[in-house]
């Protein structure tokens, strides 16, 4: 250990001007044995700084390094663990407690003794030594004036004092008197000894001379001791008297403490009582309102609302720990629960009665609305019920079972009421669409006589055949010709001067207005009811809701009770689902009735699907802008799918009827019925779809229809026996081109050019074919000439052949004098007039083309004739 101490002094502390006083080999308690050294050091410079340094052997070599140092003044406690038994463990309390285990108890005791000495000398007993043997500390107590603190070296350093000037002078005089002191130290020491003995003898004589004074001093000391004894007796008596006073003061202090404690407890108790009284006391007026308040008057509803809010606040107060163990608190809570139960029961019963009464009141007004195409207004009913909105919110948060029961009852009552109103409303709409008699309308207005009206409308919904009196153009596609079709329609309708197309337009306009009025009546009804449900039942509806209504969804209200346990408020998404399901159950008849009305309109006239597609698309677009996931938007979207399906079916039916068209073998063809019907469809569609949202659907339908028209015009032209094929193609494609040019349909520009090309080609073909008839032999003669030329015979040599010489040409020309040619042309004109129809008015166009072609052929024959004559 001495070698280690020497090495540490040399390598670590000497460079830092420090001196190592004590060392102990230690390791941390409770961990792996990693040895280190705790060193007690002091600085060599003043002021002296005392430290405890932890030194650890380096992992990389045999040298030691300084790891951490603590100032001794930061040491609060030294705990030796056991003052009696030997124990190598000890604790040093700096900013935290460090637990050490020394290599031996002797090293630990030496180190603690050094710490105690340094504490006594430099810190004036500021460190607490716990569980340290008193014997260890007594051994370290200094004796005499010059106390040894840390061994001989430290004592020598502390006792050394520099000589002052007088002491130096005396030593110099003494040294001068003893010049041989330096050379003969023994003689000098003997002289000093003799002089010391002389001084001691003088001192003894002086003491003996002062014996009388010592005796006097001893007497004075004895008297002083007697006085001290008397003073001690008096102090003892005073102390006894003060002891009784001290006991009394202790009792008074304890009493004051108890009084202060009692006052503090009383203040706290008063605070708790005030808290309970202020937060759990319900006014008598509120109690009376909850028990007897009038729920039919506005003032009574307001009083009940305020009382219910006050009750809810009392029940929701946050009790402090221990309050729930008080009997009064338990009784008050039970009283609040009884009040809540009774008032919730009374409120639910009253609102159920209001729902039932509303159903009776609305039923009484159905008769006056059934004649007109309007739905009853529920605003007064909503306005009256909205007075209970805050109470419904209270009921939702306090008793969810009763709230859920009221929701189901409201749906049951209102669904039956709306079902009667909506069915009567749609019956009136069907009657107005079909144009039945006033007697039938009156019969339909009887509240509970719906079967007769249904019977009448079911006759309109026959699965086969058309409605009597229908003027749909599709029902007339089987007519043989345009003229016959018009005459048959006029005779069938028997409407005087009014044409069939005018009647169609009037009926369709009437249907369009009725259908628009139906949608316009349903839309505000649904929106108003949804807004009322949201406000009355306190359900949020203005946040995004995932999903839409599917056909298989439960709409009987049963899911409302299965979504959450009773008494648990619904989250926002579930509240949106609840609104949707309530609307589905209340208005469960809207979608079927709309589908029936659409089917009826489609049976009356399949072109009505155009009107319905535009109107329904507009209303769906409007509803989705308001709320894309609302009941109205979803329902109208489902119905729009049906309307679009009917529209596609209408297009398919037109194409199918084009393919089924049969023409008469005895009369000329003229403009084919489906060509005229395409013109009618396109004109009607352009007027309906102007600025419509579903223009893309119409463009697709145009493309399908025009392809069908082109294909079937060519098919009919090939099958025609009475009218030449070119005439059928020419007239119909001219009509198609004129229609497309007039309507300016952008998606059919390519078809318009194709129709014009087909019209031009077949006009030229018909003209060439027809002109071969008036000069047939002449035409054959020159065809023969051209054939010979084609075979390689030169034109000037053709005239030398027997069949094509000048004589044969003169014979052929003689057969066609001017009168005969004029007669032939007249016959040709009549034949062309017979082929062409009056509707298209192409006679002059065709005849002018024939004249031009005749002149061209004449000039051609004339040129050939000159070549032969040469």
């Amino acid at each position: 250990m001495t070698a280690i101490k020497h090495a540490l002094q040399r390598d670590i502390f000497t460079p830092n001007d420090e001196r190592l006083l004590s060392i102990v080999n230690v390791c941390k308690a409770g961990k792996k044995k990693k040895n280190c050294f705790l060193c007690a050091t002091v600085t060599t410079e003043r002021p002296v700084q005392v430290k405890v340094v932890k030194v650890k052997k380096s992992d990389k070599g045999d040298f030691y390094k300084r790891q951490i140092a603590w100032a001794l003044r930061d040491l609060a406690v030294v705990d030796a663990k056991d003052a009696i038994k030997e124990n190598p463990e000890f604790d040093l309390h700096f900013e935290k407690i460090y637990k050490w285990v020394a290599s031996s108890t002797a090293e630990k005791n030496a180190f603690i003794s050094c710490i105690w000495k340094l504490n006594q000398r430099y810190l004036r007993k500021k460190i607490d030594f716990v569980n340290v043997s008193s014997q260890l500390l007594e051994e370290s107590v200094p004796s005499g004036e010059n106390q040894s603190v840390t061994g001989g070296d430290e004592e020598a350093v502390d006792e050394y004092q520099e000589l002052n000037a007088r002491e130096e002078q005396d030593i110099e005089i003494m040294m001068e008197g003893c010049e041989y002191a330096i050379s003969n130290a023994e003689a000098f020491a003997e002289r000093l000894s003799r002089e010391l003995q002389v001084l001691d003898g003088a001192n003894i004589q002086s003491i003996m001379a002062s014996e009388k004074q010592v005796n006097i001093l001893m007497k004075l000391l004895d008297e002083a001791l007697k006085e001290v004894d008397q003073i001690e007796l008096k102090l003892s008596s005073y102390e006894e008297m003060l002891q009784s006073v001290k006991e009394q003061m202790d009792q008074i202090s304890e009493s004051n403490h108890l009084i202060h404690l009692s006052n503090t407890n009383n203040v706290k108790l008063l605070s708790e009582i005030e808290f309970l009284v202020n937060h759990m006391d319900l006014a008598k007026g509120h109690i009376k309102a909850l028990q007897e308040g009038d729920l039919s008057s506005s003032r009574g509803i307001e009083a009940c609302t305020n009382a219910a809010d006050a009750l809810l606040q009392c029940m929701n107060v946050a009790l402090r720990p221990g309050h729930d163990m008080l009997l009064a608190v338990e009784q008050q809570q039970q009283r609040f629960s009884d009040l809540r139960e009774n008032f919730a029961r009374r409120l639910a019963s009253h609102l159920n009665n209001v729902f039932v009464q509303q159903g009776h009141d609305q039923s009484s007004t159905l008769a006056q609305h059934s004649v007109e195409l309007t739905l009853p207004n529920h605003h007064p009913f909503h306005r009256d019920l909205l007075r209970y909105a805050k109470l419904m919110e209270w009921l939702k948060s306090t008793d969810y079972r009763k709230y859920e029961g009221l929701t189901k009852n409201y749906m049951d009552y209102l669904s039956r009421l709306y079902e009667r109103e909506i069915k009567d409303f749609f019956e009136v709409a069907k009657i107005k669409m079909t144009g039945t008699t006033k007697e039938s309308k009156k019969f339909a207005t009887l509240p509970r006589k719906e079967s007769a009206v249904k019977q009448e409308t079911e006759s309109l919904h026959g699965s086969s055949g058309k409605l009597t009196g229908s003027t749909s153009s599709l029902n007339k596609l089987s007519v043989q010709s345009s003229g016959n079709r018009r005459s048959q329609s006029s005779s069938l309708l028997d409407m005087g001067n009014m044409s069939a197309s005018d009647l169609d337009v009037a009926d369709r306009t009437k249907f369009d207005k009725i259908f628009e009025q139906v949608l316009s009546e349903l839309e505000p009804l649904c929106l108003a009811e949804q807004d009322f449900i949201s406000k009355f039942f306190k359900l949020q509806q203005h946040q995004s809701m995932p999903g839409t209504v599917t056909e298989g969804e439960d709409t009987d209200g049963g899911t409302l009770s299965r979504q959450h346990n009773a008494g648990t408020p619904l989250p926002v998404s579930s509240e949106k689902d609840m609104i949707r399901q309530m609307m589905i159950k209340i208005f469960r008849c809207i979608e079927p009735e709309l589908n029936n009305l659409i089917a009826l309109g489609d049976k009356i006239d399949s072109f009505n699907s155009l009107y319905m597609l535009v109107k329904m698309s507009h209303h769906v677009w409007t509803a989705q802008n308001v709320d894309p996931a609302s009941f109205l938007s979803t329902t109208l979207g489902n119905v729009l799918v049906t309307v679009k399906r009917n529209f596609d079916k209408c297009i398919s039916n037109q194409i199918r009827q084009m393919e089924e068209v049969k023409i008469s073998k005895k009369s000329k063809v003229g403009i084919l019925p489906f060509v005229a019907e395409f013109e009618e469809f396109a004109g009607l569609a352009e007027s309906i779809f102007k600025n419509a949202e579903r223009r893309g659907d119409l463009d697709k339908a145009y493309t399908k229809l025009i392809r069908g028209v082109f294909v079937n015009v060519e098919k009919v032209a090939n099958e025609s026996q009475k009218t030449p094929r070119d005439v059928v193609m020419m007239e119909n494609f001219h009509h198609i081109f004129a229609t497309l040019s007039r309507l300016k349909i952008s998606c059919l520009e390519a078809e318009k050019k194709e129709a014009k090309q087909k019209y031009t080609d077949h006009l030229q073909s018909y003209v060439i074919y027809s002109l071969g008839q008036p000069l047939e032999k002449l035409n054959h003669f020159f065809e023969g000439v051209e054939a010979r030329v084609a075979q390689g015979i030169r034109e000037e040599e053709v005239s030398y052949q027997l069949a094509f010489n000048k004589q044969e040409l003169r014979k052929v020309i003689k057969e066609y004098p001017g009168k005969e040619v004029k007669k032939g042309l007249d016959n040709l004109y009549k034949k062309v007039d017979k082929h062409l129809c009056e509707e298209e008015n192409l006679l002059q166009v065709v005849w002018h083309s024939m004249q031009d072609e005749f002149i061209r052929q004449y000039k051609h024959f004339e040129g050939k004739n000159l070549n032969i004559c040469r």
Side-chain angles (χ1 to χ4, degrees), residues 60 136 143 180 230 410 538 590 609 667 679 783:
K60 298 180 180 179
L136 180 63
S143 58
Y180 56 87
Q230 292 178 359
Y410 179 83
K538 293 301 177 182
I590 285 185
S609 61
S667 60
E679 178 185 13
E783 285 179 356

Side-chain angles (χ1 to χ4, degrees), residues 186-231:
E186 293 180 357
F188 181 69
E190 286 182 6
R191 181 179 177 179
L192 290 178
S193 177
R194 287 194 301 269
E195 290 179 356
L196 181 60
Q197 290 177 0
V198 172
L199 289 175
D200 288 340
N203 287 335
I204 292 172
Q205 290 177 1
S206 176
I207 292 172
M208 292 179 65
S210 60
E211 183 177 359
K212 294 180 179 180
Q213 295 178 354
V214 171
N215 292 331
I216 295 172
L217 180 60
M218 292 300 293
K219 290 180 181 179
L220 291 174
L221 289 175
D222 292 337
E223 292 176 359
L225 289 175
K226 292 179 181 179
E227 292 293 333
V228 169
D229 291 337
Q230 292 178 359
I231 292 173

Side-chain angles (χ1 to χ4, degrees), residues 289-328:
L290 292 174
Q291 293 176 343
E292 304 174 0
D294 185 10
L295 290 172
S296 58
S297 64
S298 299
R299 184 172 297 178
I301 294 172
E302 183 179 0
C304 291
T305 302
N306 295 333
D309 291 339
L311 176 62
L312 186 61
Q313 290 179 2
C314 292
M315 295 185 69
N316 292 339
V317 63
L319 295 177
R320 297 171 183 172
H323 284 176
D324 53 351
M325 300 177 65
L326 296 175
L327 180 60

Side-chain angles (χ1 to χ4, degrees), residues 746-813:
S746 59
C747 67
L748 297 181
E749 283 296 321
E751 285 76 6
K752 182 179 75 172
K753 294 178 181 179
E754 183 181 355
K756 182 179 180 181
Q757 185 63 40
K758 287 181 179 291
Y759 155 68
T760 304
D761 293 344
H762 288 286
L763 172 62
Q764 190 67 25
S765 176
Y766 177 66
V767 168
I768 292 173
Y769 171 77
S770 299
L771 280 177
Q773 305 302 322
L775 306 174
E776 183 176 2
K777 292 182 179 181
L778 187 61
N779 191 37
H780 288 325
F781 179 84
F782 284 108
E783 285 179 356
V785 173
E786 290 177 352
R788 296 297 184 276
V789 172
Q791 293 174 2
I793 302 175
R794 290 186 298 178
E795 292 184 356
E796 57 270 15
E797 295 179 358
V798 173
S799 60
Y800 294 107
Q801 295 190 10
L802 184 62
F804 301 104
N805 56 22
K806 297 179 181 178
Q807 290 77 13
E808 290 295 326
L809 178 60
R810 290 190 184 100
K811 289 180 183 180
V812 174
I813 292 175

Side-chain angles (χ1 to χ4, degrees), residues 175-189 191 194:
M175 295 293 288
E176 289 175 358
C178 302
E179 294 179 356
Y180 56 87
I182 298 175
S183 60
N184 192 352
E186 293 180 357
F188 181 69
R191 181 179 177 179
R194 287 194 301 269

Side-chain angles (χ1 to χ4, degrees), residues 70 80 138 146 162 175 395 461 495 572 720 724 738 821:
W70 299 277
E138 287 175 0
N146 296 327
E162 187 178 357
M175 295 293 288
L395 189 63
H461 294 182
M495 296 299 293
V572 174
S720 175
V821 173

